[in-house]
Amino acid sequence: DFPAVTETAGSSFTLDVSLANHGVPPKRIALALEGLPDGWTYEFDGDGKPIRAAMVGPGQTRDITVKITPAKEAAKKAYQLTLTGTGADEKLSLPLDVTLAAPAPAALKLEAKLPALRGSAKSNFDYDLTVKNDSPQDVTVNLAARAPAGFDTTFKEQYGSQELTSVPIKANQSKDLKLSVKPPQDVPAGQYKVLVGMNSGKAQAETPVVLDITGQPQLALVGPGGMLSGSAIAGKEHTFSVTVNNNGGAVAKAVKLSADAPSGWKVDFDPAKVDQIPPGGKAKAEMRITPASNAIAGDYSVNVDADGDGASDDLKFRVTVETSTAWGFAGLGVIGVAVLVMAGAVTRYGRR
């Protein structure tokens, strides 16, 4: 296909040729390569096997590969060779120009398909990479990524799950890889660069990738005066103040307040929903708790939740329930009546 080529000195190379029969009876064609300098060798291959001749029927074409091995000390210059095919009554020839040149220096090329990705600190930052061994020798390429402190980086094959630290690449071939970068959950919004590096010992390549991290809300619930407990009377409403802080780097939106309390209790909030809380801001709400009227004195747990778009928090609020004083007075009244009944009984029957 290419009768004039440049090849690397000191290495074997191949040439692909075709032998076609344009409508004449089948012929046996003996193959040869003429004009080889001393110390050079050659071989013909057909269908993966060494051959010395080919038989081609009418309208048929045979694909043949010529493998040429120059002498180790062959000079780096141009050579004129002739490929011949000899039949019973004819001889075919194809001039070949072969130039031997110094080996190309080892080189690596590295590209990222999408070098900049955007998302929150919880997003997946996966970069598709292609590394090419642009040299005549097979190499093993070491993989590295220099990222900001706290960022985790891993290399994998494009469609594999095995983590890699190095990868073999054949001469003049490419390999598709994937770099996954995981930022810290509390990283501030901003752009962060990761420098991806490949090194084969004789060649290296680098390319940067960028994480454009958007802020995200981070909710924190705080009880009244920073406390996580309070007291209430059975059957009576008591109000506690709660605060929702946004410690994140983005607006917290549609924050809803809710609670999980013991059976028979009533808990509601005013307001029950906050449209938005800016970064570094806070919102206050009144939590109204009414223990069940038959609640026994003691400590109870109320789970308070704040849920917004992409952020949430919860706290356990301990409520110490005290019984109503009315019940205390009723109890004293019962005790007093019992004492009077007993005294009357003693007066009436005590002397018998």
Side-chain angles (χ1 to χ4, degrees), residues 36-256:
L36 283 180
D38 292 341
W40 290 45
T41 62
Y42 71 92
E43 178 183 279
F44 291 101
D45 290 329
D47 292 335
K49 297 177 292 183
I51 61 173
R52 294 192 301 270
M55 179 72 75
V56 186
Q60 290 184 337
T61 299
R62 296 290 186 186
D63 293 327
I64 300 170
T65 299
V66 188
K67 180 180 179 181
I68 303 174
T69 303
K72 291 184 179 180
E73 67 279 4
K76 301 176 184 66
K77 65 175 186 177
Y79 296 85
Q80 283 73 45
L81 310 178
T82 302
L83 175 62
T84 64
T86 304
D89 55 1
E90 62 180 328
K91 184 174 182 178
L92 308 174
S93 64
L94 175 65
L96 300 175
D97 293 330
V98 176
T99 301
L100 296 185
L108 294 175
K109 292 182 179 179
L110 177 61
E111 293 182 354
K113 185 175 181 180
L114 295 174
L117 299 177
R118 186 178 186 185
S120 71
K122 295 181 180 180
S123 300
N124 294 323
F125 292 88
D126 294 331
Y127 299 88
D128 293 331
L129 306 172
T130 299
V131 55
K132 182 180 180 182
N133 174 18
D134 201 8
S135 61
Q137 290 85 28
D138 298 349
V139 296
T140 297
V141 177
N142 297 313
L143 314 176
R146 189 162 68 246
F151 285 62
D152 291 331
T153 60
T154 55
F155 289 94
K156 298 178 182 179
E157 287 192 290
Q158 187 70 46
Y159 301 104
S161 58
Q162 182 66 43
E163 294 187 12
L164 304 173
T165 58
S166 63
V167 61
I169 307 177
K170 292 185 177 296
N172 298 308
Q173 297 294 314
S174 299
K175 182 78 74 172
D176 292 328
L177 304 172
K178 180 172 68 176
L179 169 66
S180 297
V181 183
K182 185 177 182 180
Q185 293 297 300
D186 58 351
V187 65
Q191 290 191 342
Y192 297 85
K193 184 170 72 172
V194 176
L195 187 61
V196 186
M198 308 281 170
N199 193 319
S200 67
K202 294 183 178 180
Q204 61 183 16
E206 292 182 341
T207 190
V209 296
V210 176
L211 293 79
D212 187 1
I213 298 179
T214 59
Q216 60 180 358
Q218 184 177 2
L219 300 180
L221 267 171
V222 181
M227 304 295 291
L228 298 178
S229 62
S231 59
I233 297 174
K236 292 187 176 295
E237 180 183 285
H238 195 88
T239 301
F240 302 93
S241 177
V242 295
T243 303
V244 185
N245 295 319
N246 180 9
N247 299 328
V251 175
K253 298 179 179 180
V255 180
K256 298 178 181 179

Side-chain angles (χ1 to χ4, degrees), residues 259-271:
D260 184 16
S263 177
W265 288 45
K266 179 182 178 182
V267 181
D268 57 24
F269 296 87
D270 183 24

